[in-house]
Amino acid sequence: MKYLDEFSNPELAKRLLDQIHAATTKPWAIMEVCGGQTHSIIRHGIDQLLPDQIEMIHGPGCPVCVTPLEIIDKALAIAAQPGVIFCSFGDMLRVPGSTQDLFHIKSAGGDIRVVYSPLDALTIAKDNPDREVVFFGIGFETTAPANAMTVYQAKKQGIKNFSLLVSHVLVPPAIAAIMESPTCRVQAFLAAGHVCSVMGTGEYPPLAEKYKVPMVVTGFEPLDILEGIRRTVLQLESGRHELENAYPRAVTSEGNSPAQAMLAEIFEVTDRTWRGIGMIPKSGWQLSRAYLDFDAELRFSVSDIHTAESSICRSGEVLQGLIKPNECAAFGKECTPRNPLGATMVSSEGACAAYYLYRRLEQPAAASHA
Ligand code: SF4
């Protein structure tokens, strides 16, 4: 299939791998930021084809995985209220809250609906004027524009029975937090191509300069990943730390200006708690003052719900690249995709789910770094 096969060509992959092997003379730890990249790396065995000196660290770029337990509990509290239609993308339904998940609410009679777009939730609100319709708005700069547009349309069309439970997070502050952690081992980043397709690349050169790390904007197919790694290794080996765009078929330096304008209209930057990482200053979006009427947290008075993370689940260490998923004692035993203890085992982009799908028969490569 065009656009997929051509970026999985084995001969070109071998050529790129040969160049990576030829260029690598020292050990390097490279973080792929996005969960989609993690799945591509594990699924295609890319990390096993790299030189032994190169370690791929799986970063916090899976939107479901970094959504804190507290927000899940708020979603559950809203969804259980009579008269509410709670709309979400499907992968949030099995994310465990502190005592149950959205499937449990649904089986107890809650009206939980899986939608493919937040605009579908707005249509449901229009069709059910006597019900309160809530959309669970999670994710990075990639999913936020559609959610922003939905709130904009709700206000413009005077649809008052729609609200958004917002848990949007931003990549650049997370990169800064990773680099400032005393346990940080990351020496370079594959930046997330789809995030940059929306936001452009302007936020990354200052990070590359401040932390002296190469950053290469990278796509998701095997050749994209290999090209991102090749360029990253060339920078590391030559002592450079620059932003490069290895995904020009989707990413421009300016990004998507109309999407950015919509985001600036609807949201404002706020501190956000990331699952397993904790609070990162100015690392997310909340609805701006002009759109607070559409804030589900305020409408349903759930702002006071505060939840501590699970003591068993080590997804925070996984998300910071401190351990590999199969170094968690619960991996594949108490914790499986059918019975997930943490979000990184639920989401199709989660590192634990990727290791369960493709690596669960392997022994952990090394002892925990934690
Ligand atoms: S294997 Fe399960 S319990 Fe362990 S870190 Fe991953 S999600 Fe958490």
mmCIF file of all heavy atoms in Angstrom, residues 312-315 318 325 328 330-332 335 341-345 352, ligand 1:
data_model
loop_
_atom_site.group_PDB
_atom_site.id
_atom_site.type_symbol
_atom_site.label_atom_id
_atom_site.label_comp_id
_atom_site.label_asym_id
_atom_site.label_seq_id
_atom_site.Cartn_x
_atom_site.Cartn_y
_atom_site.Cartn_z
ATOM 1 N N ILE A 312 1.525 -0.193 43.501
ATOM 2 C CA ILE A 312 2.073 -1.383 42.815
ATOM 3 C C ILE A 312 2.616 -1.002 41.435
ATOM 4 O O ILE A 312 3.690 -1.420 41.024
ATOM 5 C CB ILE A 312 0.982 -2.458 42.640
ATOM 6 C CG1 ILE A 312 0.418 -2.879 43.985
ATOM 7 C CG2 ILE A 312 1.538 -3.669 41.891
ATOM 8 C CD1 ILE A 312 -0.808 -3.764 43.862
ATOM 9 N N CYS A 313 1.842 -0.207 40.728
ATOM 10 C CA CYS A 313 2.165 0.099 39.332
ATOM 11 C C CYS A 313 3.397 1.008 39.247
ATOM 12 O O CYS A 313 3.466 2.036 39.910
ATOM 13 C CB CYS A 313 0.968 0.773 38.668
ATOM 14 S SG CYS A 313 1.298 1.285 36.992
ATOM 15 N N ARG A 314 4.343 0.640 38.385
ATOM 16 C CA ARG A 314 5.570 1.429 38.224
ATOM 17 C C ARG A 314 5.558 2.218 36.908
ATOM 18 O O ARG A 314 6.597 2.525 36.344
ATOM 19 C CB ARG A 314 6.782 0.500 38.295
ATOM 20 C CG ARG A 314 6.897 -0.201 39.649
ATOM 21 C CD ARG A 314 8.088 -1.126 39.709
ATOM 22 N NE ARG A 314 9.345 -0.395 39.744
ATOM 23 C CZ ARG A 314 10.549 -0.975 39.683
ATOM 24 N NH1 ARG A 314 10.633 -2.298 39.588
ATOM 25 N NH2 ARG A 314 11.652 -0.250 39.716
ATOM 26 N N SER A 315 4.326 2.516 36.425
ATOM 27 C CA SER A 315 4.238 3.187 35.125
ATOM 28 C C SER A 315 4.942 4.537 35.131
ATOM 29 O O SER A 315 5.407 5.004 34.088
ATOM 30 C CB SER A 315 2.781 3.339 34.687
ATOM 31 O OG SER A 315 2.048 4.098 35.617
ATOM 32 N N VAL A 318 8.320 3.784 34.152
ATOM 33 C CA VAL A 318 8.331 3.435 32.733
ATOM 34 C C VAL A 318 8.256 4.711 31.892
ATOM 35 O O VAL A 318 9.020 4.895 30.936
ATOM 36 C CB VAL A 318 7.144 2.499 32.391
ATOM 37 C CG1 VAL A 318 7.028 2.291 30.891
ATOM 38 C CG2 VAL A 318 7.305 1.155 33.092
ATOM 39 N N PRO A 325 9.244 -1.907 30.755
ATOM 40 C CA PRO A 325 8.021 -2.493 31.305
ATOM 41 C C PRO A 325 8.221 -3.878 31.908
ATOM 42 O O PRO A 325 7.647 -4.195 32.962
ATOM 43 C CB PRO A 325 7.093 -2.551 30.090
ATOM 44 C CG PRO A 325 7.523 -1.396 29.255
ATOM 45 C CD PRO A 325 9.028 -1.352 29.407
ATOM 46 N N CYS A 328 9.019 -4.443 35.654
ATOM 47 C CA CYS A 328 7.998 -4.311 36.700
ATOM 48 C C CYS A 328 7.570 -5.718 37.139
ATOM 49 O O CYS A 328 7.267 -6.569 36.293
ATOM 50 C CB CYS A 328 6.797 -3.535 36.154
ATOM 51 S SG CYS A 328 5.363 -3.572 37.234
ATOM 52 N N ALA A 330 4.894 -6.826 38.314
ATOM 53 C CA ALA A 330 3.515 -7.207 37.978
ATOM 54 C C ALA A 330 3.332 -7.487 36.485
ATOM 55 O O ALA A 330 2.295 -8.013 36.075
ATOM 56 C CB ALA A 330 2.560 -6.102 38.412
ATOM 57 N N PHE A 331 4.342 -7.163 35.678
ATOM 58 C CA PHE A 331 4.219 -7.281 34.220
ATOM 59 C C PHE A 331 3.887 -8.719 33.800
ATOM 60 O O PHE A 331 4.614 -9.666 34.145
ATOM 61 C CB PHE A 331 5.525 -6.846 33.550
ATOM 62 C CG PHE A 331 5.541 -7.027 32.055
ATOM 63 C CD1 PHE A 331 4.970 -6.069 31.227
ATOM 64 C CD2 PHE A 331 6.113 -8.158 31.483
ATOM 65 C CE1 PHE A 331 4.979 -6.230 29.850
ATOM 66 C CE2 PHE A 331 6.127 -8.329 30.101
ATOM 67 C CZ PHE A 331 5.554 -7.368 29.286
ATOM 68 N N GLY A 332 2.768 -8.888 33.077
ATOM 69 C CA GLY A 332 2.386 -10.203 32.561
ATOM 70 C C GLY A 332 1.864 -11.147 33.618
ATOM 71 O O GLY A 332 1.493 -12.282 33.288
ATOM 72 N N CYS A 335 -0.672 -7.929 36.059
ATOM 73 C CA CYS A 335 -1.008 -6.868 35.107
ATOM 74 C C CYS A 335 -0.888 -7.363 33.667
ATOM 75 O O CYS A 335 0.199 -7.721 33.209
ATOM 76 C CB CYS A 335 -0.070 -5.674 35.325
ATOM 77 S SG CYS A 335 -0.477 -4.269 34.285
ATOM 78 N N LEU A 341 -3.265 -2.925 35.485
ATOM 79 C CA LEU A 341 -3.133 -2.179 36.743
ATOM 80 C C LEU A 341 -2.821 -0.720 36.478
ATOM 81 O O LEU A 341 -3.043 0.134 37.332
ATOM 82 C CB LEU A 341 -2.025 -2.780 37.612
ATOM 83 C CG LEU A 341 -2.267 -4.178 38.159
ATOM 84 C CD1 LEU A 341 -1.110 -4.599 39.056
ATOM 85 C CD2 LEU A 341 -3.577 -4.257 38.920
ATOM 86 N N GLY A 342 -2.277 -0.427 35.329
ATOM 87 C CA GLY A 342 -1.911 0.953 35.013
ATOM 88 C C GLY A 342 -2.223 1.278 33.566
ATOM 89 O O GLY A 342 -2.408 0.386 32.732
ATOM 90 N N ALA A 343 -2.272 2.577 33.283
ATOM 91 C CA ALA A 343 -2.680 3.023 31.949
ATOM 92 C C ALA A 343 -1.701 2.600 30.864
ATOM 93 O O ALA A 343 -2.089 2.435 29.705
ATOM 94 C CB ALA A 343 -2.831 4.536 31.950
ATOM 95 N N THR A 344 -0.438 2.417 31.203
ATOM 96 C CA THR A 344 0.528 2.027 30.170
ATOM 97 C C THR A 344 0.295 0.603 29.672
ATOM 98 O O THR A 344 0.847 0.200 28.655
ATOM 99 C CB THR A 344 1.975 2.131 30.705
ATOM 100 O OG1 THR A 344 1.996 1.620 32.038
ATOM 101 C CG2 THR A 344 2.468 3.549 30.705
ATOM 102 N N MET A 345 -0.534 -0.175 30.385
ATOM 103 C CA MET A 345 -0.904 -1.510 29.903
ATOM 104 C C MET A 345 -2.219 -1.476 29.139
ATOM 105 O O MET A 345 -2.556 -2.387 28.398
ATOM 106 C CB MET A 345 -1.011 -2.489 31.091
ATOM 107 C CG MET A 345 -1.215 -3.935 30.701
ATOM 108 S SD MET A 345 0.104 -4.599 29.655
ATOM 109 C CE MET A 345 1.156 -5.408 30.860
ATOM 110 N N CYS A 352 3.908 -0.598 28.210
ATOM 111 C CA CYS A 352 3.683 -1.922 28.814
ATOM 112 C C CYS A 352 2.883 -2.805 27.870
ATOM 113 O O CYS A 352 3.167 -3.998 27.723
ATOM 114 C CB CYS A 352 2.980 -1.778 30.164
ATOM 115 S SG CYS A 352 3.967 -0.877 31.374
HETATM 116 S S1 SF4 B 1 3.314 -3.708 33.894
HETATM 117 FE FE1 SF4 B 1 1.338 -2.952 34.721
HETATM 118 S S2 SF4 B 1 1.746 -2.554 36.882
HETATM 119 FE FE2 SF4 B 1 3.751 -2.673 35.856
HETATM 120 S S3 SF4 B 1 4.227 -0.568 35.246
HETATM 121 FE FE3 SF4 B 1 3.179 -1.489 33.497
HETATM 122 S S4 SF4 B 1 1.021 -0.922 33.795
HETATM 123 FE FE4 SF4 B 1 2.029 -0.608 35.777
#
